Amino acid sequence: MDKNDIILTYGSDPVAMTRALLEAIDIESLILDKNSSIALKPNLVVAATAESGATTHPSIVREIISFLQERGYSRIKIVESAWVGDSTKEGFRVNGYEAISKTFKVPLVDVKDDDYEKLTSNGITMEVSKTILDTDFLISLPVLKGHCQTAMTCALKNMKGCLSDRSKRMFHNLGLHKPIAALNAIRCADLVIVDSLNGDLDFEEGGNPVRTDRMFAARDSVLCDSFGSQLLGFELEDIPYIQLAESMGVGFTDLSKARVIQLNEPTNDKVAHPSGEVANLARYTLPKNACSACYGNLIHALKRLDEVDRLGNLETKICIGQGYRGETDKTRIGVGVCTRGLGKSLGGCPPKAIDMIQFMKEL
């Protein structure tokens, strides 16, 4: 796997998807020494299950450990810290990490109990977990989801769980964006495997999950977040810490130079319609056998339009899904290659949320 690669897979089985990604990555070409210390850094910001759209699916963590141990890597730890005021240990318990630890003999490290090293980057001094700093190879396992303060959280922001609670508070006082970039200039992930199965629309703590049934991997955290931002319907300018991290030498934002390797096609599993805001946004859609990835991107695009008061301008519902293949109703509008016979249609399989936004604005 090269530095400019993004490997993408679709499905509803995180175990099979994780293994497919790991095989495509060729992990042994990245971690040459089988005695290397490896840290897995999931997102357990709150003590909530992955179904809420807040936390990393534990089956992903389990499969990575199994895969690594099969290949002779034995020095593996799971390292994480919940946000200020919540219990990491409770997050471990709720998500079954104690059983994972016992089964695979892999220690759980609560960063809240760790020793820290005080380091300065770009004028910001912070306390960083010594376990993370001493790790030879760091695998970040973020959830791609919205965030009420930074618009999005993925690879770069997931590193915030490597700080002391005191530094987390300080990051918020400084506005999050520059500190997040500065932290990654000190230590960023060596490999990112993104859980984008059902991330929340807006909030780090979950509550409005949107099924997209995908996972992707990257070695460059900046490139990873640039790709993720488009999937959620954001411009880079909406998430300042991404470009700030690029300016600090963490990685690159230019997706035109990235090689996106898609391992399979999206499936047309039944799309879930959670209650609340997602159901409200779904009123603007006409799905027929829609793939979760395509439909999830449309929901994110509708949400972005709603945030800038443009959703009310839509005069017709948006058709989406494989059920529209062969239809030629010129009065209808659709997104995705399956709707190409309609009067107006946006191509792509699936089209990104950012492209859907532009398409609907032009309507």
Side-chain angles (χ1 to χ4, degrees), residues 186-342:
I186 290 174
R187 183 68 167 105
C188 66
D190 300 294
L191 174 66
V192 185
I193 298 177
V194 180
D195 178 346
S196 182
L197 294 163
N198 62 292
D200 184 85
L201 267 177
D202 295 298
F203 298 109
E204 192 174 12
E205 65 267 35
N208 280 298
V210 178
R211 252 188 80 185
T212 46
D213 286 353
R214 68 183 164 223
M215 292 175 61
F216 58 96
R219 291 174 59 192
D220 182 332
S221 294
V222 176
L223 195 68
C224 176
D225 281 14
S226 300
F227 182 71
S229 68
Q230 287 199 353
L231 293 177
L232 294 187
F234 290 114
E235 303 283 354
L236 279 180
E237 292 73 18
D238 296 326
I239 310 157
Y241 66 74
I242 299 177
Q243 290 177 311
L244 282 169
E246 180 180 43
S247 72
M248 295 177 190
V250 178
F252 299 94
T253 61
D254 190 353
L255 287 170
S256 69
K257 296 180 180 177
R259 181 175 63 159
V260 179
I261 302 167
Q262 188 166 305
L263 301 181
N264 60 344
E265 297 292 328
T267 62
N268 64 336
D269 292 341
K270 185 177 179 181
V271 177
H273 293 276
S275 60
E277 187 170 10
V278 177
N280 180 56
L281 295 170
R283 294 185 299 116
Y284 296 89
T285 73
L286 286 173
K288 283 187 184 180
N289 300 325
C291 301
S292 294
C294 198
Y295 190 76
N297 285 356
L298 177 57
I299 292 295
H300 282 113
L302 292 168
K303 173 60 180 173
R304 303 288 88 81
L305 287 173
D306 191 37
E307 289 169 347
V308 293
D309 296 324
R310 294 287 293 275
L311 195 53
N313 293 349
L314 277 179
E315 296 179 353
T316 184
K317 293 186 177 183
I318 305 299
C319 300
I320 183 171
Q322 298 179 56
Y324 288 99
R325 286 179 178 171
E327 288 203 16
T328 57
D329 187 340
K330 299 306 178 185
T331 67
R332 287 186 160 184
I333 295 167
V335 294
V337 68
C338 299
T339 66
R340 59 189 168 192
L342 303 183

Side-chain angles (χ1 to χ4, degrees), residues 28-142:
E28 289 176 285
S29 69
L30 301 182
I31 316 175
L32 300 178
D33 184 356
K34 295 295 175 72
N35 198 41
S36 296
S37 58
I38 301 170
L40 306 185
K41 165 64 179 73
N43 185 321
L44 291 173
V45 61
V46 292
T49 62
E51 287 68 33
S52 70
T55 55
T56 306
H57 283 76
S59 54
I60 295 173
V61 178
R62 178 184 287 270
E63 186 61 19
I64 292 173
I65 296 170
S66 176
F67 188 92
L68 290 171
Q69 289 186 346
E70 287 170 12
R71 283 150 183 79
Y73 299 101
S74 59
R75 298 180 61 204
I76 305 168
K77 294 179 179 179
I78 300 171
V79 185
E80 173 59 324
S81 173
W83 65 3
V84 176
D86 216 316
S87 167
T88 313
K89 294 177 180 61
E90 182 64 9
F92 283 147
R93 187 193 67 77
V94 165
N95 286 280
Y97 280 79
E98 292 168 338
I100 294 173
S101 174
K102 183 176 180 181
T103 299
F104 294 99
K105 297 179 172 56
V106 169
L108 303 176
V109 178
D110 183 350
V111 171
K112 292 178 188 287
D113 299 330
D114 204 4
D115 293 326
Y116 307 106
E117 188 170 338
K118 191 173 287 189
L119 299 169
T120 301
S121 169
N122 292 273
I124 300 173
T125 301
M126 61 195 81
E127 296 173 336
V128 185
S129 158
K130 278 189 66 62
T131 298
I132 289 295
L133 293 173
D134 293 342
T135 294
D136 296 321
F137 196 87
L138 173 59
I139 303 176
S140 180
L141 306 171

